[in-house]
Amino acid sequence: MEQYIIKGGNPLVGEVEIGGAKNAALAILAAAIMTDETVLIDNLPDVNDINVLLDAIRGIGASVHRIDRHSVRINGRSITNFNIEYECIKKIRASYYLLGAMLGKYRKAEVALPGGCNIGSRPIDQHLKGFRALGADVDIEHGKIIAEADRLTGKHIYFDVVSVGATINVMMAASMADGLTIMENVAKEPHVVDVANFLNSMGANIRGAGTDVIKIRGVKKLHRTEYSVIPDQIEAGTFMFAAAATKGDVTVMNVIPKHLEATIAKLVEIGCEVEEFDDAVRVVSKGRLKSTHVKTLPYPGFPTDLQPQIGVTLALGSGTSIITESIFENRFKYLDELARMGSRASVEGHSATIEGVSRLTGARISAPDLRAGAALCIAGLAADGITIVDDIVYIQRGYERFEEKLKSLGAVMERISSEKEIRKFRLKVS
Ligand code: EPZ
């Protein structure tokens, strides 16, 4: 199993290019099959999750032509199979977006029910509520969601929970339903807006994405388009906290600063200097960072996907910080790993209390999930000595060229897979 080995203590300095948003791209790739014409999508992040979903789309019969690492041509005309197997959903739960796409276009779909994951149980009841409201018969049999509809008719849908996945999945199905759908209590994340813009570029009629109410007038057919995915605000935020935690000076390039407002506000609050440009943000961290209280919320609140990253940063702050994770029920596991590096934190229900310490020391730790894994690498970069991070396959699911980008900013780290390489690295850096 591959690992990262990191020698901490170097401030990260320089510029880093941010890639396309994974969580927009996954939904856009699924929506691309909703037309029988060819769709060109670029600025895709070259990460495992994207590659697995492209295999799934190929698996149902669509033609998928990878032009280069960041762009692909998809044509859904040749789809014959409306069945997404458990094997696929286990690898990438976002393949459930094919449910909304196939229901909208073919009025039928069978998708294995996704299980929970490391950060929580992650039910999909709101997705199913939306499909049923549009007139689909949705049953769960033998671990599969079986959805069929003679007709899909626009409806007024009020979500009980603000859900990114349900908002996007139901929006896809409604975009080809008959009549007007009004969706309320919806997610407003930038990637929800990106998917709506993508569908509109194919001829859909979706208004209000990014606000509390989305109105959709269904259309009979969707057509070809060429589309570029928005930059990944979570990748950008990850590098911004890496700058903060290592007392560095990092400029994230090719970002949309507006998408980073909550992140920038917190970085300023804990003592970083932040400079915004048209499509870049610079983060400078000099002295010891301050403590703060942060609560994760749906956009435009502080994103849950940056909660582990601010957590490891605050572990080195002065004073006591409190983090409240209001989105997922099990997203503090990284604190157990961080404790092995000398941090002091305690978790009570949805809140973690973090007592800042003056130093962290390198240790052997493992990545519990995608974002916590990236956060623990930040801890290793800020710690004294050598840190080895196991299970980095989680990190590679959502971060393209993670160690190359960190090394370009001055990180002393390698991707390794043997004890021999650990010895070699220790010799090299000693
Ligand atoms: C998306 O997950 C992202 N994944 C997650 O990013 C992100 O953390 C999350 O949105 C919140 O922003 C992708 O986009 C592929 P939700 P999603 O539905 O859609 C509850 C990453 O690191 N809920 O907004 O699954 C749910 O349990 C990943 O890139 C229901 O109760 O999240 C959670 O408490 C991790 N019923 C809350 O809503 C439902 O039907 C928000 O979940 C759906 C969700």
Side-chain angles (χ1 to χ4, degrees):
M1 292 288 274
E2 287 193 310
Q3 303 157 307
Y4 284 140
I5 186 163
I6 300 167
K7 178 175 181 299
N10 281 28
L12 296 184
V13 178
E15 297 182 350
V16 61
E17 277 291 331
I18 298 303
K22 165 181 83 80
N23 293 345
L26 290 170
I28 285 169
L29 290 175
I33 68 156
M34 296 180 77
T35 172
D36 284 341
E37 299 180 17
T38 299
V39 169
L40 171 65
I41 300 161
D42 67 24
N43 201 35
L44 288 172
D46 183 16
V47 297
N48 290 359
D49 275 7
I50 294 293
N51 301 326
V52 168
L53 184 60
L54 286 173
D55 288 344
I57 292 170
R58 217 177 259 116
I60 58 174
S63 79
V64 175
H65 170 56
R66 196 69 180 261
I67 301 160
D68 59 33
R69 293 171 54 218
H70 299 130
S71 44
V72 70
R73 258 202 203 89
I74 293 176
N75 184 304
R77 187 205 324 272
S78 49
I79 290 174
T80 51
N81 165 13
F82 309 110
N83 189 342
I84 301 295
E85 295 300 339
Y86 181 64
E87 266 326 294
C88 169
I89 215 108
K90 219 169 76 173
K91 280 187 216 151
I92 164 78
R93 54 178 288 121
S95 36
Y96 60 29
Y97 284 135
L98 289 166
L99 191 54
M102 292 194 286
L103 195 57
K105 183 184 181 186
Y106 301 108
R107 303 296 194 258
K108 64 181 172 187
E110 268 190 39
V111 173
L113 198 60
C117 78
N118 303 350
I119 59 175
S121 63
R122 304 186 78 179
I124 62 164
D125 57 301
Q126 298 299 304
H127 301 237
L128 307 188
K129 168 181 177 168
F131 296 144
R132 289 180 174 126
L134 294 172
D137 292 325
V138 182
D139 298 307
I140 292 179
E141 288 170 23
H142 310 298
K144 270 182 175 289
I145 306 161
I146 299 164
E148 275 193 274
D150 298 331
R151 281 185 54 148
L152 283 184
T153 311
K155 278 290 180 311
H156 193 148
I157 301 167
Y158 192 93
F159 288 105
D160 305 313
V161 175
V162 175
S163 158
V164 167
T167 301
I168 291 174
N169 228 346
V170 177
M171 180 167 74
M172 280 198 263
S175 66
M176 294 189 80
D178 300 327
L180 174 65
T181 295
I182 298 173
M183 295 173 20
E184 299 207 48
N185 199 27
V186 291
K188 298 182 274 193
E189 272 70 3
H191 36 289
V192 172
V193 178
D194 209 26
V195 178
N197 291 340
F198 172 71
L199 286 165
N200 285 341
S201 77
M202 292 167 78
N205 183 343
I206 301 170
R207 298 289 173 267
T211 73
D212 291 312
V213 184
I214 296 178
K215 290 187 179 166
I216 303 166
R217 290 191 188 288
V219 295
K220 289 267 176 279
K221 272 174 84 70
L222 295 172
H223 55 66
R224 70 177 57 248
T225 188
E226 294 192 3
Y227 196 81
S228 192
V229 176
I230 54 168
D232 193 323
Q233 84 210 61
I234 303 303
E235 184 192 16
T238 302
F239 282 98
M240 291 160 76
F241 280 110
T246 59
K247 297 191 178 22
D249 176 350
V250 171
T251 302
V252 290
M253 313 291 288
N254 180 35
V255 297
I256 299 173
K258 170 125 189 72
H259 294 168
L260 294 162
E261 278 177 351
T263 302
I264 290 168
K266 275 300 163 193
L267 284 164
V268 171
E269 203 176 298
I270 63 177
C272 294
E273 288 163 29
V274 179
E275 204 176 346
E276 290 181 39
F277 305 91
D278 287 347
D279 61 355
V281 176
R282 182 180 179 191
V283 178
V284 183
S285 160
K286 289 192 180 104
R288 182 140 186 225
L289 296 171
K290 298 178 206 131
S291 60
T292 185
H293 289 196
V294 58
K295 179 174 183 179
T296 65
L297 286 167
Y299 190 88
F302 189 86
T304 175
D305 291 348
L306 288 175
Q307 184 263 98
Q309 294 89 323
I310 196 170
V312 301
T313 304
L314 294 171
L316 280 165
S318 61
T320 299
S321 297
I322 295 180
I323 299 182
T324 303
E325 171 55 63
S326 74
I327 308 290
F328 291 111
E329 61 266 33
N330 186 20
R331 204 163 198 176
F332 287 126
K333 273 198 297 205
Y334 67 96
L335 291 173
D336 297 332
E337 299 296 306
L338 205 58
R340 305 186 57 241
M341 300 175 76
S343 83
R344 273 197 235 119
S346 60
V347 178
E348 190 76 35
H350 282 266
S351 285
T353 303
I354 300 174
E355 263 180 74
V357 294
S358 56
R359 68 192 278 265
L360 292 173
T361 53
R364 181 145 190 176
I365 52 181
S366 70
D369 60 69
L370 165 60
R371 305 300 176 188
L376 289 168
C377 290
I378 293 174
L381 291 165
D384 295 341
I386 302 270
T387 295
I388 295 175
V389 184
D390 289 335
D391 303 321
I392 62 170
V393 63
Y394 281 115
I395 300 172
Q396 289 154 348
R397 290 187 51 174
Y399 288 93
E400 180 180 341
R401 298 171 46 246
F402 191 55
E403 71 272 12
E404 290 92 331
K405 292 187 177 183
L406 286 170
K407 286 167 75 173
S408 75
L409 295 171
V412 179
M413 69 187 287
E414 296 295 341
R415 190 183 337 170
I416 57 166
S417 51
S418 70
E419 288 300 322
K420 187 164 161 276
E421 288 172 298
I422 292 176
R423 285 194 300 277
K424 207 168 129 209
F425 181 87
R426 286 185 187 280
L427 274 177
K428 193 174 90 176
V429 302
S430 57

